[in-house]
Each structure stands twice: as C-alpha cells, then as structure tokens.
C-alpha cells in the first residue's frame, strides 16, 4: 500500500520552498543565498546556511537506528516531525488524529493547530494498554489519518506490548498511518520498531536525541518512515531546520556510543532505586512500572505535595489533567544526589501535611 494515499492530495504535487542550498548545493563561490561572505571571529562557518538535511548526520543517525538513509528525515526535535505529519496528512476541518490518553500532549496540540479533530480512545485496564476494539471502531468512522501510539508512554512509562502494536498496525492498514513515538525506547531495553519499517509502509517511528542522548537543548529528532513519506515531509519542512551547532553536537554524540550506554545503565538503576523507595512510603499508593527515565506515582493530596516540593526547590510534573491519573505526579530520574534530595523533600512535605 502506498502511504501517500492517506496524505492530503493537494500536497502530492507541491514542490515546497526551493532554498539556495537545496537547489544548488555547494561551490567555491557562493553568491546565491545573500549570506555574509565572512564569518565572525570565533564563529567559523556560521555565516553560511546549514545543509537542509546534513548528509553526514543523516548517514550517522540512519546507521545508529539501523534504517536505510532514505527512510530518515532529520527534524528540529521529534516535535517538528509530529507537526509535519499532522500538516501532511490531515485536511483542516475534515480529517482527525486518534490519540490514546493519558499520553503526550503535543499530538493533540499539533492537530488542533492544524484544524484536525482529535479522537480520544483512552488506554485501558490496570496495565494501561491500547483499547484495540475501540480503536478499530474509531477508524471505521473514516476520518482518522494518524494513529498516535507512544512506547514507552509518556507520562505513564509503560512499554506497549509488541502484540498490541502489531494489532494496531493490522487494524490501521490502508486506513491510517501509525505513528509510534519511541522518545524513551533507549531506557526500555526493548527493540525499536524501526527495523520493521520495510514490512509496514504505514508505520512511522519517532526518535529523538533529547532524552537518552542528553541533547534536549540541541533540538535534534528524526522521523523514520517509508521513503515516500520522508520525501513528502522533506518538501514541507522549514528550509534549514537544524542549526550548525546542533548538527555538530549530534555528530559528536553519535561518535561516543559508550557514553550513551553508560548513562542509560545509570538512569535505569536510579529509576529502580527511586521506584523502590517510593513504594516503601505509606502515603504513596501506586508507582507505575516504568520503561522510561521517569516515574508516575500516586500520592494522597498530590497537588499539595507538588506545591510543598516546589517550595523546597524540587519541581515535578502534576498529571491531574490526564484521564485516569488524578492524584498522580511524574518525577524525572535525576542524578543520585537529585533523587535523594527529592526523596528527602518528599518525606519532609508528607510529614508536615496536616492529617
Ligand atoms: C520529550 C518527548 C518528545 C519531544 O522530543 P523532542 O525531540 O525534544 O521534540 C516527543 N515525544 C514524547 C513522548 C516525549 O516525551
């Protein structure tokens, strides 16, 4: 199946903006982009626009994710990939995205900005798994173009079972693009779905350097998908999405895989230590098992606890607006010292709360 059958038809012949670098590439004398011919002292190279899809980084990242280069689009964070997918696949006022809350909020935000409807099919049961029967009937409605799944899911932390993703792909075949957001997959120990892209032309996988790779400030993410989807989105993306310093930071990070492996191991160990300490607190009624670098936990009077922690200089995310998660807070795994500071502050806040 050609996944472009699901895209906005008016974009299929659209060429996009023809930037100087995209049109002409490089030459000894560059007088086609109105750049400064000289760089500032100490800022060599920044007088020139960067490559629209920097070849060296695309190659390195494709190798890192184990996909062919033409299946990878470099984006300004995976947030940009979400935005591009919605813009390419959803006609304003007609099409819809399907999300499974509680989940990452930006899918619905991007859809709303585009004028696409947001259909919610909440995760279900104690294990918070996708409700495949309800997803199937929502797809029967015919408006859904994108089905967003997040694994490990933010903010709950759980990895979606392989069978559930496979079933979602089967249900969506010919009807919607399945967007699998793997922002946290490095912390899960599970294989990425990236290597299964050739079997599923209607699968798109989102990856990012913002979390495990410690480059949130560089804004580098990737969409992995069928080459036809990559080619379509490459026509819609901003002319020069990645700044040169970000390209260099990403290349440096990818050249040091040992650092990543060591950080992931430390983070997973700290996550499990933090989970055990939280579970031992009588005021904490639940700690969701997490395959990510954060934990969602339920505590009595969660809002007051969050406020008390903030007053002690510890910021957590409150999950009160998320279906099924009232009374839950989400804590990111910090350094051992930060985690200890959080635990000490939490115990102090709980001791001070009037009964
Ligand atoms: C953090 C996060 C992202 C955003 O990643 P960027 O690459 O920094 O834009 C995407 N999806 C989920 C689920 C996230 O938690």
């Amino acid at each position: 199946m050609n996944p472009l059958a699901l895209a906005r038809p008016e974009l299929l012949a659209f060429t996009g903006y023809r930037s100087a670098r995209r049109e002409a590439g490089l030459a000894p004398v560059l007088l086609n982009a109105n750049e400064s011919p000289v760089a500032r002292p100490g800022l060599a190279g920044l007088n020139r626009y960067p490559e629209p899809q920097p070849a060296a980084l695309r190659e390195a990242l494709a190798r890192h994710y184990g996909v062919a280069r033409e299946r990878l689009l470099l984006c300004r964070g995976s947030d940009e990939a979400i935005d591009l997918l919605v813009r390419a696949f959803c006609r304003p006022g007609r099409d819809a995205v399907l999300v499974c809350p509680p989940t990452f909020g930006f899918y619905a935000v991007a859809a709303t900005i585009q004028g696409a409807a947001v259909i919610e099919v909440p995760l279900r049961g104690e294990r918070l798994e996708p409700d495949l029967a309800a997803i199937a009937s929502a797809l029967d409605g015919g408006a859904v173009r994108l089905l967003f799944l997040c694994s490990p899911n933010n903010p709950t932390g759980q990895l979606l079972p392989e069978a559930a993703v496979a079933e979602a792909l089967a249900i969506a075949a010919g009807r919607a693009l399945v967007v699998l957001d793997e922002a946290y997959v490095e912390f899960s120990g599970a294989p990425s779905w990236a290597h299964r892209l050739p079997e599923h032309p209607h699968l798109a996988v989102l990856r990012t350097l913002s979390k495990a790779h410690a480059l949130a400030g560089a804004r580098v993410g990737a969409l992995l998908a069928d080459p036809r989807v990559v080619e379509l989105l490459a026509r819609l993306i901003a002319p020069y999405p990645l700044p040169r310093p970000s390209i260099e930071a990403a290349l440096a990070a990818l050249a040091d895989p040992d650092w990543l492996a060591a950080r992931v191991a430390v983070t997973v160990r700290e996550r499990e230590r933090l989970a055990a300490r939280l579970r031992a607190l009588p005021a904490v009624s639940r700690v969701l098992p997490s395959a990510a670098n954060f934990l969602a936990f339920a505590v009595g009077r969660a809002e007051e606890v969050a406020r008390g922690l903030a007053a002690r200089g510890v910021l957590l995310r409150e999950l009160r607006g998320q279906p099924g998660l009232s009374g839950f807070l989400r804590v990111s795994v910090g350094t051992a010292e930060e985690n200890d500071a959080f635990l000490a502050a939490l115990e102090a806040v709980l001791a001070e709360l009037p009964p």
Side-chain angles (χ1 to χ4, degrees):
M1 186 245 168
N2 184 347
L4 296 189
L6 300 162
R8 287 168 58 196
E10 66 274 27
L11 293 181
L12 295 180
F14 177 65
T15 51
Y17 177 67
R18 296 185 174 277
S19 66
R21 283 296 170 277
R22 201 179 128 203
E23 287 287 273
L26 293 173
V29 181
L30 292 173
L31 300 177
N32 63 344
N34 302 343
E35 298 152 327
S36 167
V38 296
R40 282 176 173 270
L43 297 175
L46 290 189
N47 55 317
R48 297 295 178 190
Y49 281 108
E51 284 176 84
Q53 286 289 307
L57 181 55
R58 202 178 181 203
E59 186 68 43
L61 212 47
R63 205 170 328 113
H64 181 72
Y65 293 140
V67 300
R69 196 188 322 112
E70 61 273 16
R71 292 186 177 277
L72 184 144
L73 182 75
L74 291 164
C75 302
R76 200 166 24 193
S78 44
D79 285 341
E80 185 176 42
I82 294 165
D83 187 47
L84 289 171
L85 284 165
V86 170
R87 288 202 263 161
F89 285 85
C90 296
R91 291 166 296 182
R94 291 179 66 174
D95 299 326
V97 307
L98 193 157
V99 298
C100 301
T103 194
F104 188 50
F106 190 65
Y107 314 135
V109 168
T112 301
I113 293 169
Q114 172 69 3
V118 179
I119 296 177
E120 297 194 341
V121 176
L123 296 170
R124 96 195 160 119
E126 182 83 354
R127 313 253 314 265
L128 294 165
E129 288 181 2
D131 186 341
L132 294 161
I135 289 173
S137 45
L139 289 175
D140 286 341
V144 174
R145 288 289 173 276
L146 300 174
L147 162 55
F148 283 100
L149 297 174
C150 187
S151 179
N153 185 41
N154 180 4
T156 55
Q158 94 281 31
L159 192 73
L160 297 184
E162 185 185 344
V165 177
E167 181 68 21
L169 281 164
I171 291 169
R175 301 202 280 180
L177 196 76
V178 176
V179 184
L180 185 62
D181 187 342
E182 294 187 332
Y184 300 97
V185 75
E186 289 90 345
F187 301 107
S188 73
S192 167
W193 277 79
H195 68 279
R196 302 184 55 173
L197 286 168
E199 300 160 47
H200 304 290
H202 66 308
L203 171 64
V205 173
L206 304 182
R207 302 291 299 263
T208 179
L209 300 191
S210 293
K211 308 286 163 53
H213 290 265
L215 287 184
R219 311 301 303 126
V220 181
L223 169 99
L224 312 178
D226 186 277
R228 292 165 288 193
V229 172
V230 168
E231 194 275 329
L232 171 65
L233 298 195
R235 284 187 270 128
L236 309 185
I237 199 168
Y240 303 104
L242 295 196
R244 277 174 185 268
S246 298
I247 297 166
E248 279 157 29
L251 283 169
L254 292 171
D256 189 1
D258 294 347
W259 191 91
L260 172 71
R263 269 309 303 161
V264 166
V266 169
T267 305
V268 168
R269 205 166 62 227
E270 274 299 302
R271 178 186 76 205
E272 295 312 312
R273 181 177 77 90
L274 199 49
R277 290 282 304 275
L278 286 170
R279 287 194 182 102
L281 295 174
V284 173
S285 55
R286 264 185 96 188
V287 181
L288 300 183
S290 172
N293 67 341
F294 56 82
L295 289 162
F297 65 98
V299 61
R301 302 156 77 169
E303 282 164 51
E304 284 166 82
V305 169
R307 237 179 295 128
L309 286 169
R312 287 176 157 76
V314 179
L315 297 183
L316 265 57
R317 193 79 181 241
E318 277 189 69
L319 301 179
R320 134 181 70 138
Q322 296 265 11
L325 292 182
S326 67
F328 276 80
L329 301 175
R330 189 193 70 193
V331 61
S332 305
V333 177
T335 63
E337 295 72 29
E338 288 171 328
N339 300 333
D340 286 336
F342 155 63
L343 289 164
L346 179 61
E347 284 175 20
V349 169
L350 291 171
E352 274 175 21
L353 275 185

